[in-house]
Amino acid sequence: MNRRYRRTIIAGNWKMNKTPAESKILIEELKPIIAKAKWCETVLCVPFVDIPIAVRLLKDTRVAVGAQNLHQNESGAFTGEVSGAMLKNAGCKYVIIGHSERRQYFGETDALVNAKAHTALNAGLRPIICVGESLEQREMGLTMDLVSLQVKAALANVTVEQLRKVVFAYEPIWAIGTGKTATSEQAAEVCEHIRTVIRKMYGARAARSVTIQYGGSMNAENASELLAQQDVDGGLIGGASLKAKDFIAIVNAANQ
Ligand code: PGA
């Protein structure tokens, strides 16, 4: 973290978990503690149908609500899809884009990630753009090149003003949901690399204010060490965000 230049952001990614009734219980457990965090921003990226209850319960707190996806078009005949304007109007502030599960199971390409980033920004949402390599790619030594490509593609035609609203999440695929966390050195190295790529595109000043999260089996035990790295400005947390005690511990680690 480097609070002098950028916000620390801890975001929970609930994925396809929690009905509205279940989300109410979890948010009521989390709220008294995470709403008090002053030194980091907290976000709950909940399933679409949980957005209304999350927004209602978190109204007038510092905790923001996010979605996990949006459609790249503004509106129209796209049965089953949800637009940026709908999310914004429902009270979302953030939206996750290009999560590796969407890239893997729903065929999302870098070009689509870029289109969705523009749609989110145009709708007034802050995109949390996910990048990261598979185990195979890491073992082949491709991590840095791949992540550079993903970052550059995601930011195509994004202006420097828009960049201020963008959050990145470095999520090595081999660490997601596996219990295998990247070491703090690995996380630091790639997050720093992401900032270097952004610096080359937008200059030092713009790059130093971008929040770059780490995601992949972040938990109550490893959060402090990961967050102690200069270029690791928060976390995108899956499994551990579904357990109040664990998520609170991570928020507390970021709020030091
Ligand atoms: P995990 O998921 O914390 O369960 O590894 C992170 C993510 O997919 O965003």
Side-chain angles (χ1 to χ4, degrees):
M1 303 187 276
N2 184 336
R3 289 212 189 91
R4 187 155 163 226
Y5 295 122
R6 48 198 177 254
R7 280 260 180 98
T8 303
I9 305 176
I10 299 293
N13 173 12
W14 287 11
K15 309 194 180 184
M16 196 173 73
N17 295 291
K18 304 287 173 191
T19 62
E22 290 164 345
S23 72
K24 181 169 186 281
I25 297 169
L26 180 54
I27 293 168
E28 277 171 351
E29 268 182 273
L30 292 170
K31 186 174 154 178
I33 319 273
I34 65 173
K36 286 199 201 114
K38 282 204 184 91
W39 301 105
C40 70
E41 181 160 355
T42 49
V43 188
L44 301 181
C45 296
V46 302
F48 290 137
V49 295
D50 296 346
I51 291 169
I53 181 102
V55 167
R56 185 164 64 76
L57 292 173
L58 297 168
K59 195 170 166 266
D60 302 324
T61 72
R62 295 170 205 270
V63 184
V65 176
Q68 300 168 16
N69 183 32
L70 85 174
H71 192 266
Q72 66 273 23
N73 281 81
E74 277 177 21
S75 66
F78 301 101
T79 302
E81 294 296 318
V82 172
S83 76
M86 291 171 190
L87 296 176
K88 178 74 181 172
N89 188 256
C92 287
K93 181 169 174 194
Y94 289 85
V95 59
I96 299 172
I97 291 179
H99 189 279
S100 63
E101 285 151 18
R102 298 225 46 100
R103 294 180 190 253
Q104 189 180 344
Y105 306 132
F106 303 94
E108 295 201 358
T109 60
D110 284 333
L112 185 60
V113 169
N114 176 245
K116 289 188 175 195
H118 281 285
T119 309
L121 289 164
N122 291 337
L125 296 162
R126 297 194 64 179
I128 300 177
I129 301 175
C130 303
V131 297
E133 81 288 1
S134 65
L135 186 57
E136 214 182 0
Q137 289 162 331
R138 174 162 282 268
E139 283 169 351
M140 285 164 72
L142 298 174
T143 302
M144 297 305 188
D145 286 348
L146 178 95
V147 167
S148 299
L149 286 176
Q150 288 177 326
V151 171
K152 284 185 201 154
L155 291 176
N157 299 315
V158 169
T159 65
V160 69
E161 288 74 36
Q162 289 175 316
L163 181 72
R164 288 203 210 115
K165 301 283 175 203
V166 174
V167 175
F168 272 95
Y170 166 54
E171 297 213 309
I173 298 170
W174 47 272
I176 296 177
T178 56
K180 241 197 210 176
T181 322
T183 62
S184 49
E185 291 77 27
Q186 287 170 324
E189 193 187 18
V190 184
C191 290
E192 190 190 335
H193 177 69
I194 293 172
R195 198 174 311 283
T196 305
V197 174
I198 300 173
R199 186 180 306 124
K200 286 186 185 146
M201 296 173 79
Y202 296 93
R205 202 167 223 246
R208 76 181 180 202
S209 8
V210 177
T211 296
I212 304 175
Q213 302 172 314
Y214 166 78
S217 300
M218 193 188 253
N219 58 36
E221 281 75 49
N222 60 30
S224 295
E225 198 190 323
L226 286 159
L227 295 169
Q229 310 303 311
Q230 266 288 316
D231 286 292
V232 179
D233 308 312
L236 182 56
I237 296 116
S241 74
L242 296 169
K243 294 177 214 131
K245 203 166 136 259
D246 293 19
F247 192 65
I248 285 169
I250 297 170
V251 171
N252 285 338
N255 196 40
Q256 292 306 308

